[in-house]
Amino acid sequence: MRIIDIVAGTTVDGPGLRTSVYMAGCLHNCPGCHNPQTHDPAGGIEMSVDEVIAVIEENGFDVTLTGGDPLFQAEATAELARRLKEKGYGVWCYTGYLYEQAVSDPRLAKAIDHIDVLVDGPFRLEERDTTLRFRGSRNQRLVDLRRSSPGEVSLYEDGY
């Protein structure tokens, strides 16, 4: 998998202290994107899932997969999320896809099978709102994947 950076101890990509894994590759091209340096799918460095997990385990924080868009590396994201959940980590994922798009595409659906919260939707500059927690624009949702199903979206609520 292609990794731009791994940042431990962040508080902006989900609740509590987290390790954020910035994955390479995104074709959404959202105007005003916060991380345009992550768009090149050949950017960053090649790391195995084992190597990424080793970095995460140095700190023991829950994990956020971001980028870029982790769903552009769907197979690697699926394996990484599955293995992190097996180890007991909470896992969030940011994507420019809508939840409904992800669950209707078998490849993307597999990538989110082991995700707890999906921050979905493209960043929209015209809907930018700096007062929102864990997202940049009002159209983006914090989808609680443990309580959602195709046709019924449940949003994340703090404190569960």
Side-chain angles (χ1 to χ4, degrees):
M1 60 193 323
R2 300 294 303 179
I3 302 296
I4 301 293
D5 200 3
I6 301 175
V7 178
T10 182
T11 59
V12 298
D13 295 327
L17 289 175
R18 309 185 72 75
T19 297
S20 289
V21 179
Y22 291 83
M23 300 175 71
C26 184
L27 299 177
H28 298 296
N29 294 316
C30 302
C33 176
H34 184 67
N35 297 321
Q37 71 280 8
T38 65
H39 292 181
D40 181 0
I45 61 170
E46 186 71 27
M47 293 180 75
S48 70
V49 170
D50 287 332
E51 290 171 321
V52 173
I53 289 173
V55 174
I56 291 166
E57 288 186 318
E58 289 175 11
N59 301 290
F61 303 132
D62 283 337
V63 178
T64 297
L65 306 176
T66 188
D69 188 329
L71 299 190
F72 279 88
Q73 297 186 60
E75 292 79 12
T77 295
E79 181 182 350
L80 178 60
R82 178 186 60 77
R83 293 192 41 205
L84 288 169
K85 290 306 294 179
E86 287 173 356
K87 292 177 173 290
Y89 290 95
V91 182
W92 280 40
C93 181
Y94 282 77
T95 182
Y97 292 103
L98 294 175
Y99 166 72
E100 292 82 0
Q101 292 171 304
V103 296
S104 67
D105 180 319
R107 190 172 146 269
L108 301 181
K110 185 175 180 180
I112 65 170
D113 273 349
H114 299 283
I115 302 293
D116 298 308
V117 174
L118 186 71
V119 184
D120 81 337
F123 172 76
R124 292 193 180 135
L125 190 57
E126 67 276 8
E127 294 189 54
R128 182 174 182 254
D129 185 342
T130 60
T131 67
L132 296 172
R133 291 187 72 203
F134 312 131
R135 59 200 187 277
S137 59
R138 289 183 299 280
N139 64 294
Q140 295 172 311
R141 302 176 296 182
L142 306 177
V143 180
D144 183 337
L145 295 181
R146 296 185 295 183
R147 295 192 274 192
S148 294
S149 62
E152 186 172 334
V153 174
S154 292
L155 299 181
Y156 167 79
E157 299 173 21
D158 285 336
Y160 75 78

